[in-house]
Every structure is written in structure tokens, then in C-alpha cells.
């Protein structure tokens, strides 16, 4: 079904069965598959391919050469129907690729709202990406990666499959993320080292100074203490477990992980 208010360039192809919402704009030389749903006000600028079972939320803009909803780059994929779900108010720039999921992992790749994907960034099968996320140019997410809300990744960063990147984390340009990054963490280098906390991101999200300082203090106790990370956490857990930001941090560390936690850079001692 195509809304009467949609504007579709005559050079573009929209397959029968596609659902095109109010005010959608489809520019020249685009392709929209038969199982695609475009929400109200979506804009496909030009030369965009949206295929597979893909839904794009209201007012999201997709720029030249992006390819959304293609089948997974996985040798075990056998043509099953899986999905890509993209939220509202996202900006997806030139050459971005996002793939549908694998049937043995739930079959859904999802992207939240108000996120920005810069040129040639890649979201692989079964990734779960939160809202208000920024992936800079050429960022690569492997399959099954989880990215929390308000994460920022610098250009050329790569995230290994099955890694988790906690909310408000910052991953530096060209960083190799092969282990989980805690909420609020800052990861840089190859291999990636947890260098501290994303204090600027914490402040921008509305956390007050007292809470920021508390999280910083707890980070040092957990990652720079004498014991292992989990030993240090258990030693202080009851003193801080009522603070919302730290509840998230503790739950992230406690959760089962395919990859383990990225470690902090140790201070030099004389």
C-alpha cells in the first residue's frame, strides 16, 4: 500500500506489497522490496536499496548508496525470512549497510531511535543497537553485537561479534573492541584498553556531578583494586547498589558474557 501523499521518483522501483507511509519521499534510482515498511516521513535520498523484511521508523533519512535489509553475511544462512527493524528519526548516511538476523538467534537485527550512522558504517546480523547512538565513518559491528543507548564510536572502530558495549560508552577511532565495554567506559587502542569513563557523555545525559564522581570512584575501586574485577565488585556492592547508574554497571559486569570484560589500563608504579 502506497500513501497518496508519498512522492516517488519515476526512476525508482517500489515492489507490490511494500507499505509506504504518509509523506514518504523516495528519490531517484531507489529500490524498495515487497516486504518493506516505510514509516511516515521517511526519506530515501537516492540510489538506496531497502529489501528483505525491513521496517524503517518515521522521519528516518537514508542517504545515497545505503543498503538496508539484505540477507546476513553468514555461511550458515539458508534463505530463511528474518528481519531488520530501524527506529524513528535516525540519519543513515552514504553507503551504510545493515543486515537482517539469523534464524537461530531470534532473526531480528534492531536499531533504536534518533541514532546517526555515518558513511560506510556497518551493522551486521542480529545486532541490537540502542537509541541516540553515533557510529562514525567506517565503524564495523560484527554479528550479535549489543550497543547500549548514547554510545559513540569513532571512525574505523571495529567491534568483534558477540561483544557488548554498555550505554554511554565511548569507543575511540580505530579501536579494536574484542571484549565487552562497561557502561560509561572509554575504550581506545588495538587491542582496546579501558582508559577511564566517558565523563562528558555522562554530564551531557543529565547526570549530576555527585553521581558522576561516585561512578568514577567506584570504577577505580573495581578496576584498580587489588583483587579481580568481580572480587572488587563484591567487596563494595552493598555500599552502592541503590544508585541507579551503578545498578546498571553492576548488572553489566554480573551478566553472562561470550567475550569477557575489557580491562583498564594499570597505573604505572615506581
Amino acid at each position: 500500500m502506497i500513501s497518496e501523499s508519498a512522492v516517488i521518483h519515476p526512476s525508482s522501483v517500489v515492489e507490490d506489497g511494500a507499505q509506504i507511509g504518509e509523506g514518504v519521499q523516495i528519490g531517484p534510482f531507489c529500490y524498495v522490496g515487497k516486504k518493506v515498511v516505510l514509516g511516515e516521513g521517511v526519506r530515501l535520498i537516492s540510489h538506496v536499496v531497502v529489501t528483505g523484511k525491513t521496517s524503517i521508523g518515521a522521519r528516518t533519512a537514508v542517504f545515497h548508496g545505503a543498503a538496508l535489509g539484505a540477507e546476513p553475511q553468514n555461511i550458515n544462512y539458508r534463505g530463511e525470512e528474518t528481519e531488520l527493524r530501524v527506529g524513528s528519526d535516525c540519519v543513515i548516511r552514504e553507503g551504510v549497510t545493515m543486515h537482517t538476523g539469523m534464524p537461530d538467534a531470534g532473526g531480528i537485527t534492531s536499531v533504536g531511535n534518533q541514532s546517526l550512522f555515518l558513511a560506510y558504517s556497518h551493522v551486521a546480523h542480529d545486532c541490537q543497537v540502542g537509541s541516540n547512538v553515533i557510529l562514525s565513518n567506517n565503524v564495523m559491528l560484527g554479528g550479535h553485537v549489543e550497543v547500549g543507548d548514547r554510545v559513540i564510536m569513532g571512525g574505523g572502530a571495529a567491534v568483534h561479534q558477540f561483544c557488548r558495549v554498555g550505554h554511554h560508552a565511548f569507543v575511540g577511532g580505530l579501536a579494536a573492541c574484542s571484549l565487552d565495554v562497561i557502561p560509561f567506559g572509554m575504550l581506545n587502542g588495538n587491542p582496546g584498553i579501558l582508559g577511564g569513563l566517558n565523563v562528558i557523555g555522562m554530564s551531557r545525559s543529565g547526570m549530576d556531578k555527585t553521581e558522576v564522581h561516585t561512578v568514577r570512584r567506584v570504577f577505580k575501586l573495581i578496576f584498580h583494586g587489588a583483587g579481580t574485577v568481580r572480587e572488587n565488585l563484591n567487596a563494595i556492592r552493598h555500599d552502592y547498589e541503590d544508585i541507579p547508574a551503578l545498578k546498571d554497571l553492576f548488572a553489566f559486569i554480573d551478566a553472562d558474557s561470550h567475550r569477557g570484560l575489557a580491562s583498564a589500563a594499570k597505573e604505572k608504579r615506581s
Side-chain angles (χ1 to χ4, degrees), residues 2-270:
I2 300 176
S3 168
E4 292 182 359
S5 63
V7 178
I8 302 173
H9 193 278
S11 66
S12 289
V13 174
V14 178
E15 299 280 8
D16 291 341
Q19 299 180 43
I20 310 300
E22 296 286 342
V24 167
Q25 299 177 36
I26 300 177
F29 302 105
C30 295
Y31 172 81
V32 179
K34 63 183 179 180
K35 295 181 180 179
V36 169
V37 178
L38 301 183
E40 176 184 351
V42 165
R43 293 187 298 135
L44 309 184
I45 306 302
S46 76
H47 297 82
V48 173
V49 173
V50 187
T51 188
K53 189 174 182 181
T54 297
S55 60
I56 300 179
R59 298 172 300 280
T60 286
V62 187
F63 282 70
H64 326 291
L68 309 180
E71 52 188 53
Q73 296 179 140
N74 188 309
I75 61 173
N76 295 315
Y77 181 69
R78 297 291 182 268
E80 302 91 342
E81 182 176 271
T82 53
E83 296 184 48
L84 169 66
R85 298 175 183 173
V86 179
S88 61
D89 299 295
C90 293
V91 175
I92 299 172
R93 294 303 303 251
E94 297 84 354
V96 169
T97 50
M98 298 181 179
H99 294 160
T100 61
M102 287 289 292
D104 58 351
I108 298 171
T109 303
S110 70
V111 170
N113 304 319
Q114 298 178 312
S115 290
L116 172 60
F117 298 86
L118 298 187
Y120 303 102
S121 54
H122 173 63
V123 179
H125 61 87
D126 303 291
C127 285
Q128 308 296 311
V129 180
S131 296
N132 300 105
V133 168
I134 299 175
L135 301 192
S136 299
N137 295 59
N138 299 294
V139 167
M140 298 165 284
L141 303 184
H144 310 276
V145 165
E146 298 177 23
V147 178
D149 294 343
R150 296 186 178 276
V151 167
I152 298 175
M153 296 190 183
V159 185
H160 193 285
Q161 62 189 24
F162 291 103
C163 278
R164 299 177 298 149
V165 181
H167 62 80
H168 293 84
F170 181 90
V171 177
L174 300 177
C177 180
S178 58
L179 299 169
D180 294 346
V181 182
I182 60 169
F184 314 113
M186 289 189 66
L187 188 93
N188 286 288
N190 183 358
I193 296 295
L194 195 62
L197 297 179
N198 182 16
V199 175
I200 293 176
M202 295 161 73
S203 299
R204 286 176 177 172
S205 70
M207 291 177 65
D208 61 42
K209 289 184 178 180
T210 300
E211 190 171 16
V212 171
H213 287 313
T214 301
V215 174
R216 293 179 72 183
R217 181 166 61 251
V218 169
F219 170 79
K220 290 180 180 179
L221 292 171
I222 293 174
F223 285 91
H224 291 276
T228 67
V229 166
R230 286 175 175 79
E231 288 171 348
N232 295 335
L233 169 57
N234 289 332
I236 65 167
R237 183 188 303 271
H238 296 299
D239 296 330
Y240 295 99
E241 59 188 355
D242 292 332
I243 298 173
L246 292 175
K247 282 185 178 180
D248 290 344
L249 177 60
F250 295 170
F252 189 95
I253 295 172
D254 287 335
D256 291 335
S257 170
H258 292 276
R259 300 296 304 166
L261 288 174
S263 61
K266 299 297 185 181
E267 298 176 356
K268 292 183 179 180
R269 294 180 172 85
S270 56

